[in-house]
Amino acid sequence: MASASSLSGSSLIPPEIPFELHVGNRDKLLKSIRQHLSDSSRPLHGFVLLQGGEEKNRYCTDHAELFRQESYFAYLYGVREPGFYGAIDIATGNSILFAPRLPAEYAVWLGEIKSLSYFKKRYMVSMVYYTDEIAQVLCDQYGGSGKPLLFLLHGLNTDSDNFSKPAEFQGMEEFETDLTTLHPILTECRVIKSDLELAVIQFANDISSEAHIEVMRTTRVKMKEYQLESMFMHHTYMYGGCRHCSYTCICATGGNGAVLHYGHAAAPNERILEDGDMALLDMGAEYHFYGSDITCSFPVNGKFTIDQALIYNAVLESHNAVISSMKPGVSWIDMHKLAEKTILESLKKGFILVGDVGDMMAKRLGAVFMPHGLGHFMGIDTHDPGGYLKVLERPKEPGLRSLRTVRELKEGMVITVEPGCYFIDAVLVPAMESSNTCMFFNRETIGRFKGFGGVRIESDLYVTGDGCKNMTKCPRETWEIEAVMAGAPWPLDKK
């Protein structure tokens, strides 16, 4: 996205953000909600009203945790400060920000108190007032009869099973409220990315890809997993201006690679890397709220063993098969099944499994090796919303029930492709003992993989008019990884 940096550790320059990006997001929402109201024979008046995020302290202390804006609010306004509200007048199209009225001592401890005109210009909105003026301003702006109508954000996030929080403010009793209309419309707006959004996501991918490569080059036996995490975070912040990661980094080596969400508080990336380990590093940086989600797997000593190459190439073939098949209209369930089938075929060729792959698919054996879904929407959130429309039901079969979406692909979607193959005792042992699936396992061969961990390969794709584009730029072939880990430049000179 940018190049020729004066910083020697990177070829990238953090881009300036055009706030037309958020103007476009608001315009998309306004058009969508007006269309919905017209289709429902409802009047085109009222206000969309969102409450931004609040700064939080660590428990009862005065330590303010690093603030990150609430995602729907970030999508519409791009505001990085806490304590704001935002409204859109459906009748006029005007966008209004409400800023907190800060006490004078703020200037002593936290810096200049910005004027309302500063926020109006910076965030490209029609008008700005203080949050203690919300009720009066909206009543004054309202052109209809009766109480003004507020469309508030309230709905289920199907990834977290949490509900979004509708705005609250003093004087709400003077308004009618609608808690059902806004959430599905705004969520669907977030599913299809604009060109300006794609450019920011691409930069997050560029700097994260570069950081993954730096970690590959620097990884050595006897390091700690958290050192790999630290190198990634340093690179993306130092050279990409990425103060936040998209999620908690997963830096798993050896058997830890079989823990799908390793890196949490009880397992904080602290194991020592041993010769012969595979590393599974799932890390992505966030830039101006928009994220990336990339997983690289490689041998910590820089050379694939035969067994490591077998599992790695099974996953890589699955990854590539899905990407080659992606285009508008394709079912994500079909892509997940393609990923499973490709992995099972490779495991059969490697004498880990025996029998008919069609029978394995019917018995859902793929979920034994890949219990998670193939991928998820990505944007302002790592697991961007919109995966399940109201008319769609979540599958109940193993593996498929973990899918974060079952939709057909549409042009402009950004979705991850992240097949994996893991040797998880909690899943594998029961499957080997079950009369339903025990016949598929070559027990002599599979025994070699106890403690292996797993392999995951994850790239971020956006769906184009006739296919898809891979936004991630990491080495993927085994020979590419070995060359980069031996010091070769990336991209490799393939002449």
Side-chain angles (χ1 to χ4, degrees), residues 6 32 35 141 150 156 162 199 222 269 331 403 461:
S6 60
S32 297
Q35 184 66 53
Q141 293 289 323
L150 301 180
L156 180 69
N162 294 325
K222 298 304 179 183
N269 296 332
S331 161
L403 280 167
L461 285 295

Side-chain angles (χ1 to χ4, degrees), residues 21-40:
L21 184 160
H22 301 286
V23 174
N25 291 347
R26 295 194 296 271
D27 287 345
K28 182 196 283 191
L29 172 61
L30 182 64
K31 181 180 178 181
S32 297
I33 201 165
R34 282 176 171 173
Q35 184 66 53
H36 173 81
L37 294 175
S38 294
D39 293 345
S40 307

